[in-house]
Amino acid sequence: MAVGDVVRAVTTGSDEFPVVVELLEPSDRVTVRVICFRFGPLGGDLQRVIDVFAPLGAQAEGAEQYGMVALDIPPDADLAAIIATLRAGRDDGSWTFEEGSITEAWDRAAQSLE
């Protein structure tokens, strides 16, 4: 799921967290998780990861206990530049990343780089 997605969720009991069962309305935003390597070029510094992506239009939030940054990427961000930067950081050992929720525009941008 991405920021702004409208979903339907259900619970099986009052003491359980809701489980998403259906995407009702996508937001056209992309979510990518970046795991920063402690022994990589950025030294595991999550703020440095955030600072790399901010000029490209991505908003981000770090979770220090997991060494992870969640990128929230709006549809008007420079998707190709963000993808190229993600791949470059993966290749130089700064981080690895996982696409959590992507769009057709993200797929097109990724394919244009291959």
Side-chain angles (χ1 to χ4, degrees):
M1 300 292 105
V3 171
D5 285 351
V6 177
V7 300
R8 184 170 69 86
V10 298
T11 61
T12 57
S14 62
D15 60 341
E16 295 182 14
F17 289 105
V19 175
V20 174
V21 295
E22 182 180 9
L23 175 63
L24 300 173
E25 186 177 325
S27 66
D28 291 330
R29 299 178 81 84
V30 171
T31 300
V32 175
R33 291 176 289 277
V34 179
I35 306 298
C36 188
F37 296 134
R38 187 176 321 133
F39 299 108
L42 300 181
D45 186 338
L46 301 186
Q47 186 59 53
R48 289 177 66 189
V49 175
I50 293 168
D51 292 345
V52 166
F53 291 98
L56 302 175
Q59 298 177 353
E61 180 177 28
E64 197 69 45
Q65 66 270 31
Y66 303 112
M68 181 181 78
V69 171
L71 299 178
D72 169 33
I73 304 165
D76 61 347
D78 188 342
L79 301 181
I82 292 170
I83 293 166
T85 302
L86 284 165
R87 290 175 180 175
R90 177 194 60 206
D91 293 346
D92 77 8
S94 293
W95 56 65
T96 189
F97 67 93
E98 175 184 58
E99 299 167 328
S101 179
I102 61 171
T103 61
E104 288 180 18
W106 180 268
D107 274 339
R108 284 191 304 275
Q111 290 174 6
S112 74
L113 296 171
E114 295 174 358

